[in-house]
Amino acid sequence: MAKNEVIERFAIQDLLARYAHAIDDLNPEEWARCFTPDGVFQLGSQALRGHAALRAYGEVHVREIRCRHMTGNFLYKIDGNKATGQASVLATLATPGGYKFFAQGRYVDQLVKQRGQWVIAHRRVDLDPLASDPEKIVGLSDPDVAPLFQPLI
C-alpha cells in the first residue's frame, strides 16, 4: 500500500469519526457538513438529500434520542478523489430502562474528496434483520427503544 493511500484511508476514518461524534454530540449542523451539499442519507426507503434535509433529520435525532455510534471494520476502495466502501456500525441508546443497542448493521458509502477533505456523497444504512423475519425492524421490538427509534424511521 502506497504512503498516500494510507494517508487517505486515515482521512476517511477521520470523516467517519466526525460523522458519529457530530450526531452523538447533538450537533446536526456539523453532521450535515459531513455530506456534500447534495449528499444523500438513505435508511430503508427513506432518502434525504441536501444539507437542509439532513440538518432537519439531525434535529429530530437530537430531540428524540441520546445515542452513541461505534463504527469499525472499515473497507474502502480509493480511486483518486472518489471512494466506495462500507463500515460496520453499532449504536447504543439511552432509554428509561437503561442503555440498549438500538441498531446494528453497516454503512455503504460513496465518498468524494472536495477542497482537500473527504465527505459523504451517498450513505445507505443497512440494518441487520432477524434471520427468521427479515422484514421486521429489530429496533422496534424493544418497548424501551421503539418509541425513541420510531421518529427516525
Side-chain angles (χ1 to χ4, degrees):
M1 188 178 308
K3 179 181 177 182
N4 190 46
E5 187 174 349
V6 172
I7 291 168
E8 296 301 339
R9 286 181 184 278
F10 278 122
I12 288 171
Q13 288 181 25
D14 183 68
L15 164 65
L16 303 181
R18 284 187 292 111
Y19 167 98
H21 284 289
I23 201 68
D24 293 348
D25 292 343
L26 312 178
N27 190 337
E29 178 65 37
E30 183 63 30
W31 181 76
R33 281 197 303 262
C34 291
F35 291 82
T36 61
D38 63 344
V40 174
F41 177 77
Q42 181 181 348
L43 178 60
S45 61
Q46 179 183 15
L48 306 167
R49 180 181 299 275
H51 282 177
L54 294 165
R55 203 171 24 259
Y57 175 85
E59 289 167 2
V60 170
H61 202 285
V62 165
R63 246 189 344 267
E64 300 294 334
I65 68 174
R66 297 297 180 265
C67 64
R68 291 285 164 201
H69 292 77
M70 292 150 280
T71 311
N73 299 329
F74 308 108
L75 189 59
Y76 288 82
K77 182 177 190 249
I78 300 167
D79 184 14
N81 287 332
K82 295 183 178 181
T84 56
Q86 64 182 351
S88 299
V89 62
L90 290 173
T92 59
L93 178 65
T95 74
Y99 297 110
K100 299 193 176 183
F101 283 103
F102 85 96
Q104 170 184 304
R106 67 180 175 169
Y107 295 133
V108 180
D109 295 326
Q110 296 171 19
L111 311 175
V112 294
K113 193 172 185 182
Q114 295 181 339
R115 294 178 297 284
Q117 188 170 18
W118 288 100
V119 287
I120 302 165
H122 188 279
R123 168 163 276 183
R124 187 182 78 227
V125 182
D126 292 342
L127 297 177
D128 292 341
L130 290 174
S132 61
D133 188 358
E135 299 302 313
K136 187 173 189 174
I137 299 173
V138 178
L140 297 178
S141 298
D142 186 304
D144 284 338
V145 173
L148 301 170
F149 187 50
Q150 183 66 44
L152 299 177
I153 57 171

